[in-house]
Amino acid sequence: MTTFRQIKSDVIGRITAGEWGPDATLPSETELAARYGCARATVNRALRELADDGVLERRRKSGTRVRAAPVRQARFEIPLVRREVEGQGAAYRYALVERAVMAAPDWLRARMALEPEARVLHLVCMHYANASPYQYEDRWIALDTLPAAEAEDFAATAPTAWLLATIPFSQVEISFAATEADAALAAHLGCAEGAALFFAERSTWFDGKPVTFVRLVHRPGHRVTARY
Amino acid sequence: MTTFRQIKSDVIGRITAGEWGPDATLPSETELAARYGCARATVNRALRELADDGVLERRRKSGTRVRAAPVRQARFEIPLVRREVEGQGAAYRYALVERAVMAAPDWLRARMALEPEARVLHLVCMHYANASPYQYEDRWIALDTLPAAEAEDFAATAPTAWLLATIPFSQVEISFAATEADAALAAHLGCAEGAALFFAERSTWFDGKPVTFVRLVHRPGHRVTARY
């Protein structure tokens, strides 16, 4: 007599051998029970567990199908750098490298869709894990949208923490890419000039108005990972 | 008399000025109507529209609050490389560079949690956009899990397309990082040795068994973008 475990293993074997591809419809439970020489309840349990595993999809009318490949999406958690560092068991330290109020440079006006005369706060910050460079932050805040930022010195509070406590972000765009370390990045991150560095760029709007643009450059070897 | 547009703009002004931070509770509609010298219905419309914009959060019992920063997640669509290239208006071409069946190398056994004697199919492929190198694919398929792959020559069909048509993926892990182009990558992608390249790595399991591991290395300048 066939057990539900043997049925599960047989169904998986047929899928991986290519007999039943994605979206293929399986025979009915009655047919499968006859084929395996077992009770329909045994087949039912095997198919139900395979559906729970995400292998099969059961529909009342169209029967049981092999679940097609899922939507190809990856969802990344974007932790605060402090939490990321502390989550790795290291001591976190923040340092402000540079702070300046200025007219927005042209590339930034284009990037953030700022007004011609827009003033911005430019911050360069370093984040350390156990005294080793961990992340370089190049941050721009639109003062027309967020005038309160000008009164902040950011000497002790990292911009991300201050922004999260100050303003609800309605729209965010994030990009991931790679860049070669220039002299300044190499000096700050303690790596060779030309080293391949992974970075994230994030643009944030509030109620349709540009709030902030940031480039977060990670030390060599950094990776972000998602499961689904 | 205050219009609902003036109320919206005043509420946004108080948020960006720091008066009302994330999670702050707004005065009641009756209080706001008195303050703005208008009908309660006008206040109601302003708050409703700001809630629709994602700025405020309305709860029946606790009233209206400034919406706190959203869960910090980024969701990336992972398109098939053919669709990505064609979506940019370029002609797509696939080429198989190398195909070999072998015992899994140690690093791969560790990476995919393969059995000691596991056999794998190794494929190196190139993807082109208008005859320019677009993506380098270094692919490994576990033949114990997916024996059907050994009969495929992958001369005309890219592994991803074949895998999607063959097997439903139940679990996927994806990483993004940066690497320096070695001599082989530089030759295949037509860039200088040492160039910073963005890559994705993807491991796939089916019903708990390792199916495939792939490293997709992009030409210089490539970025992936998500909005939320």
Side-chain angles (χ1 to χ4, degrees):
Chain A
M1 173 132 162
T2 320
T3 66
F4 78 93
R5 282 201 183 78
Q6 288 169 324
I7 298 174
K8 283 178 73 174
S9 146
D10 184 73
V11 168
I12 288 170
R14 283 168 200 270
I15 292 171
T16 52
E19 187 183 333
W20 291 336
D23 272 334
T25 304
L26 267 63
S28 72
E29 288 186 7
T30 316
E31 278 169 62
L32 288 172
R35 189 187 289 190
Y36 290 120
C38 68
R40 192 178 146 172
T42 311
V43 171
N44 182 276
R45 176 163 179 192
L47 301 190
R48 211 175 52 227
E49 291 198 2
L50 286 169
D52 289 345
D53 291 346
V55 174
L56 300 177
E57 202 170 35
R58 314 195 73 195
R59 291 190 194 145
R60 191 169 283 238
K61 283 187 182 164
S62 52
T64 303
R65 288 159 165 270
V66 179
R67 208 170 68 112
V71 181
R72 291 161 60 77
Q73 280 188 337
R75 195 182 299 190
F76 291 86
E77 301 282 337
I78 312 289
L80 279 176
V81 59
R82 171 190 288 275
R83 272 186 226 161
E84 196 176 313
V85 166
E86 290 176 347
Q88 291 164 15
Y92 170 79
R93 189 168 69 82
Y94 160 79
L96 178 67
V97 176
E98 212 181 300
R99 182 191 185 285
V101 173
M102 59 177 80
D106 287 346
W107 69 267
L108 185 69
R109 287 206 292 115
R111 200 70 195 253
M112 296 181 75
L114 297 173
E115 299 294 323
E117 303 297 314
R119 289 166 70 246
V120 290
L121 175 63
H122 182 214
L123 301 165
V124 176
C125 321
M126 279 298 302
H127 305 271
Y128 298 88
N130 283 342
S132 299
Y134 186 82
Q135 190 186 85
Y136 173 94
E137 174 172 358
D138 188 29
R139 162 85 63 181
W140 303 82
I141 298 175
L143 291 173
D144 289 347
T145 311
L146 201 52
E150 197 164 352
E152 274 293 318
D153 64 10
F154 295 101
T157 307
T160 309
W162 184 83
L163 286 161
L164 281 172
T166 305
I167 196 165
F169 296 152
S170 5
Q171 304 97 34
V172 177
E173 183 186 283
I174 186 163
S175 294
F176 290 148
T179 190
E180 284 168 44
D182 61 15
L185 277 172
H188 279 110
L189 290 170
C191 63
E193 259 190 78
L197 302 174
F198 175 71
F199 71 87
E201 278 181 357
R202 201 158 60 220
S203 302
T204 307
W205 295 265
F206 171 67
D207 197 51
K209 294 196 202 97
V211 174
T212 183
F213 171 80
V214 65
R215 180 184 268 216
L216 301 166
V217 188
H218 293 85
R219 63 177 173 190
H222 185 84
R223 58 169 63 205
V224 294
T225 298
R227 284 162 184 277
Y228 59 93
Chain B
M1 174 136 159
T2 320
T3 67
F4 77 93
R5 282 202 183 77
Q6 288 169 323
I7 298 174
K8 283 179 73 174
S9 146
D10 184 73
V11 168
I12 287 169
R14 283 169 200 268
I15 293 171
T16 52
E19 186 183 334
W20 291 336
D23 273 333
T25 304
L26 268 64
S28 72
E29 287 186 7
T30 317
E31 277 170 62
L32 288 171
R35 189 187 290 192
Y36 290 121
C38 66
R40 191 177 147 173
T42 310
V43 171
N44 182 277
R45 176 163 179 194
L47 300 189
R48 210 175 52 226
E49 291 197 5
L50 286 169
D52 290 343
D53 292 345
V55 174
L56 300 177
E57 203 170 33
R58 314 195 74 196
R59 290 190 195 146
R60 190 170 284 237
K61 283 188 183 163
S62 51
T64 302
R65 287 160 166 269
V66 179
R67 208 169 68 112
V71 182
R72 292 162 59 79
Q73 280 189 337
R75 195 183 300 192
F76 292 86
E77 301 282 337
I78 311 290
L80 278 175
V81 59
R82 170 189 287 277
R83 271 186 227 159
E84 195 175 314
V85 167
E86 289 176 349
Q88 291 164 14
Y92 170 79
R93 188 168 70 81
Y94 160 78
L96 179 67
V97 175
E98 210 180 302
R99 182 193 185 283
V101 173
M102 60 177 79
D106 287 345
W107 68 267
L108 185 68
R109 287 206 291 116
R111 200 71 195 252
M112 297 181 75
L114 297 172
E115 299 293 322
E117 303 297 313
R119 290 167 69 246
V120 289
L121 176 62
H122 181 214
L123 301 165
V124 176
C125 320
M126 279 298 303
H127 305 271
Y128 298 89
N130 283 342
S132 299
Y134 185 81
Q135 190 186 85
Y136 173 93
E137 174 172 357
D138 188 29
R139 161 84 64 181
W140 303 81
I141 298 175
L143 291 173
D144 289 347
T145 309
L146 201 53
E150 197 165 352
E152 274 293 318
D153 64 10
F154 294 100
T157 307
T160 309
W162 183 83
L163 286 161
L164 280 172
T166 304
I167 196 163
F169 295 153
S170 5
Q171 305 97 33
V172 177
E173 183 185 283
I174 187 163
S175 295
F176 290 147
T179 190
E180 285 168 43
D182 61 15
L185 277 172
H188 279 111
L189 290 170
C191 63
E193 260 190 76
L197 301 174
F198 175 71
F199 70 87
E201 278 181 355
R202 200 158 60 221
S203 303
T204 306
W205 295 264
F206 172 66
D207 197 51
K209 293 196 202 95
V211 174
T212 183
F213 171 79
V214 65
R215 180 184 267 216
L216 302 166
V217 187
H218 293 85
R219 64 176 172 189
H222 185 84
R223 59 167 63 204
V224 294
T225 299
R227 284 162 185 276
Y228 59 93

